[in-house]
Amino acid sequence: MKLACIQTTTGPDVRENLAKVSPLIRNAAEQGASLIVLPEATSQAFGQGRLDVQAEGLDGEFATALRQLAADAGVTIVAGMFRPADSREVNGKTINRVYNTALITGAGVHLGYDKIHTYDAFDYRESDTVKAGERLVTFDCDGVRVGVAICFDIRFPEQFRELARRGAEVIVVPTSWADGGGKLEQWRLLTRARALDSGVFLAAAGQARPNFEREAGQESGPTGIGHSVVVAPDGVVVEEAGYGPEILVADIDLDAVGATRRALPVVDIEASTRMS
C-alpha cells in the first residue's frame, strides 16, 4: 500500500485552502498514493477567526469538492474540517460550537470522524468552541482496514489499541500540533509509541510550522509544528518531514503488521472492548 502525508499551512478561508491543497493531492496521487492524509484544520486553520462561521456539513462545499477530487484521482482522502455541533450560553453569550472532524472520502466512502479528546491542556480549552465526538471510526482502503484519530487523541493509547482490535492495520492522524518547549520530542515519542503499542502503521499529517525553522521551538499555539511522520508497527520511523511544507510518500508492507503482532502480541485483537 502506498500512502501520502501532505504537510502544508492553511489559512482563514475555506475556498482558498481548498484551492491550495487540491494540486498537492493530485501530486500525491500522481506519485501512486492511494490513501492521502492532510492535516487537522485543513479547511480553516486554528487562530484564523471563528470556526463556526465557515463550518459546514459533509454535504458542504469543502467536503463535496474533496469527494469529487478523490473520485477523479481514484484515491481516498482524509482531511481536517469543522462541522456545526451545538450552541451553549456562556456568561450571557451564545457560543456556537463545532465538531473537529476528519473527513474521509473516496472509493465509495464519505464519512467523518469527530475528535473524541478535545485539546484542554497547556492553558488552552478547545472544548469551549469544539464539541467532543463519541464514536471511533474505521474504513477500508485497498482492502486494508484504516482507523482514524486526530491530534490530541494521540495521548490516549487505548483509543489506538481499540482501533487495532477492530481490525485497523493503519491509523491516520490529521494533526495541528502546537510548538513550544519539549513539544517536538513529545510528538516523536507519542507517534512511535502509538504505532508500537497498537501494532499498526501510523501516518500522521501535520500543519507545517508557521515561519518554519526561523521560529522552531517557540510557543505557537495549536498552529502546527510540521514533522509529519509515517511509523511502522515496530516503532521504526519510515518517513519524517521537517518544519516546512512537504509531501511524504511511503510504500508500506502490510505483512509487517501481522509479523510484528506475532512477535510482540501486546494487543488482543479478538477482545474488542465496549468503547464506542
Side-chain angles (χ1 to χ4, degrees):
M1 180 184 201
K2 186 173 285 189
L3 57 80
C5 293
I6 294 178
Q7 179 168 293
T8 188
T9 303
T10 55
D13 185 82
V14 171
R15 290 186 176 181
E16 291 180 1
N17 292 328
L18 184 60
K20 182 175 187 177
V21 302
S22 293
L24 303 178
I25 293 169
R26 294 189 189 97
N27 184 308
E30 289 168 359
Q31 295 186 59
S34 59
L35 175 60
I36 300 173
V37 190
L38 288 89
E40 179 185 23
T42 294
S43 65
Q44 178 185 343
F46 289 110
Q48 301 283 340
R50 285 175 47 175
L51 300 175
D52 64 305
V53 174
Q54 298 185 90
E56 60 182 49
L58 297 179
D59 58 352
E61 182 177 0
F62 180 81
T64 299
L66 288 187
R67 184 178 196 168
Q68 186 61 55
L69 180 54
D72 292 344
V75 300
T76 299
I77 298 168
V78 181
M81 61 175 289
F82 300 100
R83 299 189 303 115
D86 63 9
S87 297
R88 299 195 307 173
E89 292 294 324
V90 180
N91 297 325
K93 294 183 178 180
T94 300
I95 303 296
N96 298 320
R97 293 198 300 176
V98 299
Y99 288 112
N100 184 339
T101 299
L103 165 71
I104 305 122
T105 188
V109 175
H110 190 76
L111 53 87
Y113 160 72
D114 301 322
K115 184 163 72 169
I116 291 173
H117 300 97
T118 54
Y119 183 71
D120 290 4
F122 297 102
D123 299 319
Y124 185 87
R125 283 186 55 82
E126 186 180 20
S127 61
D128 288 344
T129 54
V130 175
K131 183 177 180 179
E134 298 178 347
R135 295 185 180 278
L136 298 180
V137 170
T138 64
F139 65 96
D140 290 335
C141 178
D142 288 352
V144 178
R145 181 64 52 86
V146 181
V148 191
I150 298 175
C151 201
F152 194 55
D153 286 333
I154 207 164
R155 293 187 181 273
F156 298 86
E158 188 52 41
Q159 178 171 345
F160 288 74
R161 292 168 66 84
E162 179 60 19
L163 288 169
R165 292 186 189 104
R166 296 184 183 195
E169 296 181 289
V170 176
I171 298 178
V172 296
V173 192
T175 299
S176 185
W177 193 261
D179 200 357
K183 293 303 296 294
L184 178 56
E185 289 79 6
Q186 292 174 33
W187 172 247
R188 284 171 162 163
L189 175 63
L190 289 164
T191 51
R192 296 180 71 182
R194 294 297 81 81
L196 184 61
D197 58 28
S198 302
V200 298
F201 279 96
L202 185 142
Q207 292 270 348
R209 176 52 165 105
N211 297 315
F212 314 148
E213 290 85 356
R214 292 193 301 278
E215 296 182 4
Q218 299 180 33
E219 299 288 339
S220 71
T223 53
I225 196 174
H227 291 273
S228 300
V229 67
V230 178
V231 185
D234 59 1
V236 173
V237 173
V238 178
E239 300 281 354
E240 181 178 348
Y243 287 100
E246 190 171 342
I247 298 177
L248 294 184
V249 178
D251 197 347
I252 60 173
D253 180 2
L254 275 302
D255 289 342
V257 174
T260 300
R261 289 174 175 175
R262 287 190 295 272
L264 188 65
V266 295
V267 178
D268 185 355
I269 303 301
E270 302 300 322
S272 182
T273 71
R274 293 292 181 182
M275 187 175 183
S276 64

